[in-house]
Amino acid sequence: EGCPVTEIGASAFYGMWKINSITLPETMKIIGDSAFENCKSLNSINLPNSILTIGKSAFKNCNWLASINIPTSMTSIEYSTFYYCENLSSIYIPDNIKRIEERAFINCFGVKSLTIGSGVEYIGFLTFAGVNTEEITIPENVQLVDDSAFKGCVDLRRMVFKNPNITFGKNIFQGLRVENITVIGYENSTAKAYAEEYGYKFELIQ
């Protein structure tokens, strides 16, 4: 009726498997929990920078989603937001994001490029489990990488930690071969201590 759409409610399009493309208006502010969960044919959506919140599991099991842009107006990526979006080839987390909650990108097996913005402070439990990029840089603002954050990232070879005092959860590389992982950080850093504890190779940041 000519009114601007500002919110998509929880589970609004849940399981509508025939939808393959979505265009959202610049007035959009909120996408609710599970709003597009199980839209298994969805391959294209724009996420305007007016969006303040994308809810938990909003795009869970959108297996054919080919690309995403994280709005610059958001400050966190919620629980399981992009769970099992296995057709994504890259993930770019902009600098405005401070928290990436647990399971946010779990089982995004197709991802070969992961960039984490400088504003991120927290990476949650199983956040990037299954992502298959070869090298990841954790910016200096990150204070905590939680348990099993990179579990099963079988192609991962090099991990750079720019915060010398970062806190680690339990076994962040769970399921990976020790000899395949090189931890890169500073002398006398918590990253070096973590590498020594678990038996990973360690190199100094150049």
Side-chain angles (χ1 to χ4, degrees):
E1 298 180 355
C3 296
V5 177
T6 60
E7 181 174 351
I8 297 174
S11 302
F13 297 96
Y14 182 99
M16 293 190 179
W17 60 271
K18 292 185 178 181
I19 295 174
N20 56 46
S21 179
I22 297 169
T23 302
L24 300 177
E26 295 293 334
T27 55
M28 188 64 61
K29 295 186 181 301
I30 298 171
I31 296 176
D33 294 352
S34 300
F36 298 99
E37 184 175 347
N38 287 332
C39 291
K40 292 183 179 292
S41 297
L42 179 63
N43 60 53
S44 174
I45 187 170
N46 69 306
L47 297 172
N49 285 327
S50 57
I51 293 175
L52 301 175
T53 301
I54 298 177
K56 298 174 182 177
S57 303
F59 295 96
K60 183 178 181 178
N61 293 330
C62 290
N63 310 89
W64 287 103
L65 191 59
S67 65
I68 53 170
N69 60 292
I70 307 298
T72 57
S73 47
M74 292 171 48
T75 58
S76 66
I77 300 173
E78 298 299 328
Y79 171 90
S80 293
T81 300
F82 298 100
Y83 184 117
Y84 223 125
C85 291
E86 60 181 335
N87 204 43
L88 294 176
S89 61
S90 65
I91 297 170
Y92 175 78
I93 309 295
D95 295 344
N96 50 286
I97 297 297
K98 295 185 180 300
R99 293 181 61 88
I100 310 174
E101 302 295 350
E102 62 183 82
R103 295 181 169 89
F105 294 96
I106 189 174
N107 293 343
C108 291
F109 300 118
V111 171
K112 300 298 183 183
S113 173
L114 171 60
T115 302
I116 300 173
S118 62
V120 173
E121 298 173 355
Y122 171 73
I123 296 173
F125 172 66
L126 290 171
T127 293
F128 294 109
V131 166
N132 283 314
T133 185
E134 291 187 8
E135 181 171 330
I136 300 171
T137 297
I138 305 299
E140 61 184 337
N141 279 337
V142 176
Q143 304 300 310
L144 171 62
V145 177
D146 218 334
D147 300 358
S148 305
F150 299 94
K151 177 182 178 180
C153 296
V154 294
D155 290 341
L156 183 62
R157 295 295 180 267
R158 295 168 62 83
M159 196 79 168
V160 181
F161 295 98
K162 291 194 170 181
N163 179 356
N165 298 306
I166 192 170
T167 299
F168 295 95
K170 296 177 181 177
N171 203 358
I172 66 169
F173 303 119
Q174 185 179 351
L176 304 186
R177 296 173 65 90
V178 169
E179 61 269 24
N180 287 344
I181 301 295
T182 299
V183 172
I184 302 167
Y186 295 103
E187 189 68 61
N188 301 318
S189 65
T190 54
K192 182 178 183 181
Y194 187 87
E196 291 174 348
E197 178 182 356
Y198 284 91
Y200 299 113
K201 291 174 285 187
F202 179 79
E203 294 180 2
L204 290 175
I205 288 179
Q206 300 300 316

